[in-house]
Structure formats: C-alpha cells, structure tokens
Amino acid sequence: MGALLGLARGIDRVNLLIGRWAAWLVVAAVLVSAGNATIRKLVNGFPGTAFGDALRGLFSGYNTHANSWLELQWYLFGALVMLGAAAALNRNEHVRVDLIYGAVSDRARLWIDLFGLIFFLLPFAAYAAWLTWPVFLQSWQINEGSSNAGGLVRWPAKLLLPVGFALLALQGLSELIKRVAALRGLITLSTKYSKPLQ
C-alpha cells in the first residue's frame, strides 16, 4: 500500500501544480475580454471626430471584427475548466448533491466516496478521455480551423478534452487509493465538505 500512496502523492502534486497554473487562465481570459471590448469601443466609437480618427489610426492593424479574440476567451475558459477539474477534486471542492453525505459518519463518507469513484467518476472520466482522443486526432491531422472568419485553429481546444479527462481519471485513482488507505486505518483523511456559498 505504501507504493500506491506514493503514486497518489505524485498524482496529487502534478494535478495541484497544473491547477495552480490553470487558475491564472482566469486572469488571462479577463484581460483578453476586457482589452478586446475596450479596443472595439474605442475604435468604433467617436465617429466623424478627430479623436475617433486618431484612435482608428492607432489601432489600424487591429481587426475589430476578428473572431479570434472571442474564440481565445472561450479557449482560455475551456482550459481553465478542463485543467482545473482534477485539482478541484483533490481539494474536495466539486459541487455535490448532498442528500445524506453531511449527516453520516466519516467512515460512511469514505464508503460513499469509494462507491462514487468506482462506479461513476473513474468509468466516466476514462471513457470520456478515450472517446475524445480520436476527435482531437482528426482535428489535428486536418489542422481544423474555425468556421468563423478570422477564427483560431480548433485542435488545441480539442486537445484539452482528452487531457483534462485523463487528469481527472488519474486524480480519481489517487482519491480511490487514499480512501482505501483511510478505511484500512493507514492514513487519516478529512471528509469534511462545505456547501458552496450562495
């Protein structure tokens, strides 16, 4: 069991590191969104004025109708979700439907988690990773581009799907190992779950 716990610790470290990097994608998405909106308003605003003409001259190389900036925003958001999901699972920060979880003992919570990991999370995440890999491959092989004028290539966004689901499956394996170890009394594991603030 010691080797498995070492594997779980390694998976945890990798996913938490990726999660920390993915968190910065929120900042990047906000900057892209705010910058794009600001420039569009400045360039398209002030029609027929010297100030408007000066702004249009300043941003003459910037295509205010390009879809690439809009697509970049959802690429960043997709990357945040797909790369951050495993770290959220590690921190027990996923949203739950708590019908009985909060009212049972710690040991019962470990059994509920074990059941959910084995029968729901691991099969779903592994199947989703397997199912989305050919979608990415096909997109990459044909260098699929956006159907929108001025859009981005699509394969990087499609790569996030199998990678994100694979990371989630690995984190599920780590959580499974830790729950089994906790049930055997080898480690202590907090099962405390706080409902999200609304």
Side-chain angles (χ1 to χ4, degrees):
M1 194 72 193
L4 289 175
L5 283 169
L7 174 65
R9 283 190 296 273
I11 292 170
D12 290 350
R13 275 193 299 273
V14 168
N15 279 329
L16 288 173
L17 179 65
I18 291 171
R20 271 189 233 109
W21 281 101
W24 283 100
L25 296 176
V26 172
V27 176
V30 167
L31 291 175
V32 167
S33 178
N36 186 35
T38 302
I39 291 172
R40 280 180 189 238
K41 292 295 181 193
L42 287 175
V43 170
N44 296 327
F46 311 103
T49 66
F51 182 65
D53 292 341
L55 286 173
R56 279 185 285 286
L58 181 63
F59 294 106
S60 62
Y62 181 83
N63 184 356
T64 59
H65 302 291
N67 289 309
S68 57
W69 293 102
L70 298 173
E71 290 183 7
L72 181 59
Q73 292 172 50
W74 68 261
Y75 278 33
L76 291 168
F77 181 74
L80 166 68
V81 170
M82 295 308 298
L83 300 176
L89 178 62
N90 175 274
R91 294 182 180 130
N92 201 22
E93 292 177 348
H94 277 277
V95 176
R96 297 175 183 250
V97 179
D98 183 7
L99 300 175
I100 60 168
Y101 195 83
V104 297
S105 69
D106 285 345
R107 190 162 183 81
R109 289 179 189 172
L110 289 171
W111 280 107
I112 291 170
D113 288 346
L114 203 64
F115 179 82
L117 289 165
I118 292 171
F119 292 105
F120 295 106
L121 186 124
L122 284 170
F124 168 75
Y127 183 64
W130 178 77
L131 202 61
T132 56
W133 180 252
V135 174
F136 153 69
L137 274 181
Q138 180 184 15
S139 180
W140 179 62
Q141 288 168 346
I142 64 170
N143 199 28
E144 180 184 6
S146 173
S147 58
N148 298 315
L152 302 174
V153 293
R154 288 279 165 95
W155 66 261
K158 291 185 177 183
L159 176 61
L160 292 169
L161 295 169
V163 169
F165 284 121
L167 291 172
L168 187 61
L170 284 171
Q171 190 60 47
L173 177 63
S174 171
E175 298 303 316
L176 179 68
I177 292 167
K178 291 184 285 191
R179 263 76 180 167
V180 169
L183 284 168
R184 294 177 65 186
L186 300 174
I187 62 170
T188 56
L189 193 63
S190 173
T191 59
K192 183 168 175 57
Y193 173 72
S194 300
K195 293 179 184 176
L197 299 174
Q198 297 184 10

